[in-house]
Amino acid sequence: MPFYLTTPIYYVNGEPHLGHVYTTVAADVVARHMRQRGEDVFFLTGTDEHGEPVSLAAEREGIPPRELADRNAERFKQVAARINATNDFFIRTSDPEHAAVVSEVVTRLKDNGHVYEGTYEGWYCPRCADFKTDSELLDGDRCPIHLIELEREQEDNWFFRLSTFQEPLEQLYAENPEWVLPGSRYNEALSFIKGGLQDLSLSRARISWGVPVPWDPDQVIYVWIDALLNYYSALSYAREGEDLTEKFWPADVHLIAKDILKFHAVFWPALLMAADLPVPARLYVHGYLLMDDHKMSKSLGNVLDPFKVMDIYGTDALRYYLLREVSFGQDGSISPEGFESRYNTELANDYGNLASRTLAMIKRYRDGVVPESEPAAGLVDEFGDLTTTVCARLDRIEVSAALDEIWTRVRLLNRYVQDSEPWKLAKDPQSAGDLDVILYGLAEGLRVVSLLLLPYLPETADRLLAALGQEERSIEAARFAASRGGARIGDLGQLFPKIESPEATAA
Ligand code: MSP
């Protein structure tokens, strides 16, 4: 089955920070998991390069917007590769192929009678590239996200008749109660719609860094409309000589954070309807990574450099931490101290030590071959239908809830080894059968959790599976007692070496 999943495309007005990495990692976990299930996955990420946030940043640096876009798009590409994201394409909205699709779709909106000329007046935030309503403002004139003072702006431009989509949108929501997940975001978007929709300006006259309006080239298409269309345009040129639109459109999931809910949950489906295109199957809206109680963001300056963190701790550790520390869907704080604590207690101890102890015992007591044995009934029960549960969670993009299910079993295996004390049984030849059961159970448990952890810890879980003598990586193999032992184990080395350096925590 085709499965199409996207991240937001990130603004190139600054360098990538952990907030951006967060969404990309979560999307990558889902993409990898779906591939393990045999789905035909297309995973898209990229950069949003036009519009005022980018042209203002370029102006501040005294360089042309394209130069800034080229430089930062490269950084976003690098960070995606460095975090081991398996995106199938990286779109840049400055790609000429994208611009051609934008022109084509907005022309269709106009031909369909959804576009007119008008004047807009309101509070405008250039960093958001968005107008704000009075009720959204802080202290009467400040942007609730960037905290900067806003000016009232007036502009003649082209408008999209968003207001006429109120009813079709309400119907979309009524017919698809899980169209936006989690439910709280569905309610938020729906109440925004029910509050009454105003038409949306579709172009900007003040800036030139964008896709020209096909019928009025003095104006450029509003950056948000340009940007949203990336999800659709990418499919038409991601593969040379092939159009993937038929196969993958509409998207199965757009993953976003709550800052851009309105654009995706309201404007986007309306635009698609107006262009006679099918709407995506689902949006998943996650919360914010906070540092010192504030949303991590370039403009607030409280960012952690993902490259530095990965240099010190490795890629898997960062992937794990982000999805483990913050319950996906909610806001949550991250910190160097929290990172170090999870790294040491969970990755190095719970998983890493369990793995090295288990392999060492199999080497020592059973000549490096996993015993062929019956599984302990207790473990069979505790593993239960773990894989089914993890799949169900990930179907709903509950990325940290799925990880929690898996980690409960990692902890269970730790308790099992402590309680069953195999090193004592090893001294007594009469207990050989019992020791077989325990060593087999540990190897089997590690095999199952590692298969399920592969999307989260692609390097380390793979290394552990290889050390367990396992070649199979599909989700079907992730059933406790599906493998009956007999595998020859190999060398593992340390999965997560302890890190003591004080500079490490200051990263
Ligand atoms: N360019 C628009 C999106 C267009 S999509 C058609 C944009 N870009 S952005 O660079 O500001 O990225 C916003 C997205 O980055 C958020 O929706 C989220 O996915 C991610 N995050 C940025 N900072 C974040 C946090 N501090 N916490 C969680 N996610 C964060 O908006």
Side-chain angles (χ1 to χ4, degrees):
M1 288 285 281
F3 185 86
Y4 179 28
L5 158 86
T6 67
T7 71
I9 47 170
Y10 307 112
Y11 284 134
V12 288
N13 55 346
E15 298 213 347
H17 59 69
L18 273 183
H20 306 118
V21 167
Y22 184 51
T23 316
T24 305
V25 166
D28 188 56
V29 165
V30 177
R32 286 175 181 267
H33 168 83
M34 290 301 175
R35 286 194 203 101
Q36 256 190 314
R37 280 163 70 170
E39 309 273 337
D40 188 355
V41 173
F42 194 84
F43 166 25
L44 180 72
T45 187
T47 41
D48 186 354
E49 305 193 0
H50 292 139
E52 211 155 0
V54 177
S55 63
L56 279 179
E59 215 172 275
R60 280 197 294 273
E61 286 200 33
I63 55 172
R66 177 167 296 281
E67 195 178 318
L68 181 68
D70 286 347
R71 188 178 80 207
N72 282 332
E74 198 46 45
R75 296 290 284 166
F76 276 95
K77 266 192 192 168
Q78 284 167 356
V79 85
R82 181 80 174 77
I83 195 78
N84 271 330
T86 52
N87 51 298
D88 295 281
F89 188 56
F90 188 99
I91 188 170
R92 298 183 54 183
T93 52
S94 60
D95 294 341
E97 297 92 336
H98 166 76
V101 174
V102 173
S103 306
E104 187 191 304
V105 175
V106 295
T107 304
R108 204 182 318 160
L109 296 182
K110 185 156 185 288
D111 293 347
N112 286 353
H114 301 303
V115 175
Y116 65 96
E117 205 170 8
T119 306
Y120 198 97
E121 213 217 306
W123 299 98
Y124 184 73
C125 174
R127 301 247 182 101
C128 292
D130 190 20
F131 284 97
K132 305 281 161 188
T133 60
D134 284 325
S135 63
E136 284 173 303
L137 297 177
L138 286 183
D139 309 329
D141 67 351
R142 288 195 298 135
C143 168
I145 297 173
H146 296 99
L147 316 178
I148 53 172
E149 281 180 19
L150 306 184
E151 313 248 316
R152 278 188 85 77
E153 305 265 347
Q154 190 179 14
E155 193 175 283
D156 288 339
N157 47 43
W158 296 94
F159 279 75
F160 167 60
R161 287 188 205 280
L162 180 64
S163 54
T164 58
F165 287 87
Q166 171 127 8
E167 229 184 87
L169 285 173
E170 284 183 19
Q171 198 181 338
L172 169 75
Y173 277 69
E175 287 169 3
N176 303 278
E178 299 202 330
W179 191 71
V180 181
L181 283 177
S184 55
R185 300 291 165 207
Y186 170 100
N187 293 336
E188 188 181 329
L190 183 58
S191 69
F192 181 86
I193 295 166
K194 289 199 164 149
L197 296 178
Q198 288 179 5
D199 292 344
L200 174 70
S201 78
L202 180 129
S203 66
R204 287 286 180 274
R206 277 178 308 157
I207 53 167
S208 55
W209 176 235
V211 180
V213 175
W215 59 89
D216 180 4
D218 289 341
Q219 301 210 23
V220 294
I221 301 294
Y222 174 39
V223 63
W224 263 104
I225 292 182
D226 172 353
L228 286 163
L229 282 165
N230 91 88
Y231 301 131
Y232 176 68
S233 72
L235 295 176
S236 66
Y237 69 100
R239 291 283 166 275
E240 219 181 312
E242 203 182 346
D243 190 338
L244 301 173
T245 315
E246 184 88 347
K247 178 166 174 194
F248 288 106
W249 192 260
D252 291 84
V253 185
H254 293 311
L255 202 56
I256 59 168
K258 62 185 186 178
D259 50 347
I260 53 178
L261 176 69
K262 177 180 71 179
F263 301 97
H264 286 80
V266 185
F267 301 171
W268 181 223
L271 283 168
L272 288 168
M273 289 174 188
D276 303 319
L277 291 168
V279 303
R282 172 170 290 174
L283 299 181
Y284 188 95
V285 188
H286 66 71
Y288 289 156
L289 288 188
L290 309 173
M291 274 193 81
D292 310 324
D293 294 335
H294 285 291
K295 180 190 176 207
M296 188 184 292
S297 91
K298 185 81 186 164
S299 43
L300 295 181
N302 60 343
V303 294
L304 264 182
D305 180 346
F307 288 102
K308 273 196 200 151
V309 178
M310 285 185 279
D311 284 345
I312 299 168
Y313 292 96
T315 307
D316 280 4
L318 178 60
R319 292 172 67 101
Y320 176 82
Y321 176 68
L322 292 177
L323 300 177
R324 180 81 172 140
E325 184 81 331
V326 178
S327 171
F328 201 61
Q330 325 240 310
D331 291 353
S333 290
I334 57 165
S335 65
E337 299 75 30
F339 188 109
E340 205 182 354
S341 152
R342 294 258 181 209
Y343 181 90
N344 286 329
T345 50
E346 300 188 355
L347 291 175
N349 284 344
D350 290 353
Y351 190 54
N353 277 354
L354 174 72
S356 45
R357 280 169 100 182
T358 302
L359 293 186
M361 287 190 289
I362 294 173
K363 269 193 192 149
R364 191 151 160 215
Y365 306 139
R366 290 296 178 266
D367 290 329
V369 175
V370 178
E372 291 180 38
S373 158
E374 287 302 311
L379 282 186
V380 174
D381 287 349
E382 300 259 24
F383 269 77
D385 45 11
L386 172 64
T387 302
T388 314
T389 312
V390 168
C391 290
R393 296 267 192 228
L394 288 175
D395 277 338
R396 297 170 59 85
I397 323 295
E398 291 168 4
V399 182
S400 50
L403 180 55
D404 200 40
E405 292 284 349
I406 306 167
W407 215 261
T408 305
R409 287 8 182 245
V410 172
R411 294 224 161 107
L412 164 83
L413 292 171
N414 276 289
R415 273 202 310 279
Y416 182 64
V417 80
Q418 266 155 29
D419 294 349
S420 57
E421 302 183 313
W423 46 91
K424 285 196 181 154
L425 299 183
K427 292 187 185 140
D428 171 13
Q430 303 255 320
S431 304
D434 291 345
L435 183 59
D436 280 349
V437 171
I438 296 167
L439 295 179
Y440 165 74
L442 290 172
E444 189 55 7
L446 274 174
R447 185 186 69 82
V448 172
V449 294
S450 298
L451 278 170
L452 295 172
L453 284 171
L454 263 179
Y456 296 86
L457 304 173
E459 283 174 0
T460 37
D462 186 73
R463 263 174 62 201
L464 177 49
L465 283 165
L468 286 166
Q470 299 298 319
E471 277 168 20
E472 185 57 55
R473 295 290 181 271
S474 80
I475 205 90
E476 266 168 33
R479 272 179 301 113
F480 193 84
S483 159
R484 301 319 300 239
R488 173 158 291 282
I489 57 163
D491 288 329
L492 181 61
Q494 247 191 317
L495 280 185
F496 295 98
K498 278 253 160 81
I499 286 162
E500 312 287 356
S501 127
E503 302 94 83
T505 50

